[in-house]
Amino acid sequence: GACAWGRRRAGDVGAHVAGAAAVAGHCYPLWSRFRGGKGVATSFGQCLYTFPAYAPVDVAVATTVSRVPGLPRPAFVSVVVSSSAWLVASVLWWRRGLPNLWGPPPTAALPLANAATVLVIASRALSMLRRHEPDELALPR
């Protein structure tokens, strides 16, 4: 979707920018006055397109953490841990020049776009926590 469109229009950097923008648009949808919305599934789409080498690890981390017994707000904790791991991995991939399967070659744009995405999702998660909304951040199971 958005990442492919961005890549066609502006190359690899365009894919990263469009992915982060799509997540922001899903977390803060214009049509509902920037309230509501969820961007975790969209962020996985961004990961799958721009960082496919890491996508299976992302799923494994999120799933494993969400199933830890007795964990308060498991979806929230799962998103925090998997998003943090995604960001750290993107820096490592970029700095070490590791292969990225079919995704764009890792450049500084990868961790920058991932950081923007993580910040958007974190801001949405914190607003949900402040309003005591249900723990609905995780990917559908």
Side-chain angles (χ1 to χ4, degrees):
C3 294
W5 180 88
R7 197 173 196 187
R8 281 193 303 274
R9 298 290 183 264
D12 294 342
V13 171
H16 293 295
V17 170
V23 172
H26 278 81
C27 283
Y28 297 101
L30 174 66
W31 54 87
S32 62
R33 299 181 189 176
F34 305 106
R35 295 186 52 85
K38 297 175 186 158
V40 173
T42 306
S43 74
F44 182 72
Q46 174 190 4
C47 181
L48 197 56
Y49 191 92
T50 63
F51 197 11
Y54 185 73
V57 176
D58 190 46
V59 170
V61 169
T63 302
T64 301
V65 172
S66 71
R67 294 186 176 164
V68 170
L71 194 64
R73 301 193 69 89
F76 176 76
V77 174
S78 173
V79 167
V80 168
V81 171
S82 63
S83 294
S84 300
W86 181 38
L87 185 54
V88 169
S90 67
V91 171
L92 292 175
W93 248 258
W94 162 54
R95 298 300 294 163
R96 294 186 179 171
L98 297 172
N100 194 20
L101 302 176
W102 62 83
T107 64
L110 177 64
L112 289 173
N114 293 354
T117 296
V118 168
L119 288 173
V120 168
I121 289 174
S123 71
R124 176 68 181 116
L126 290 174
S127 71
M128 288 174 68
L129 286 174
R130 273 189 239 115
R131 289 192 307 257
H132 305 289
E133 291 182 28
D135 194 10
E136 296 178 357
L137 290 172
L139 293 170
R141 306 242 186 266

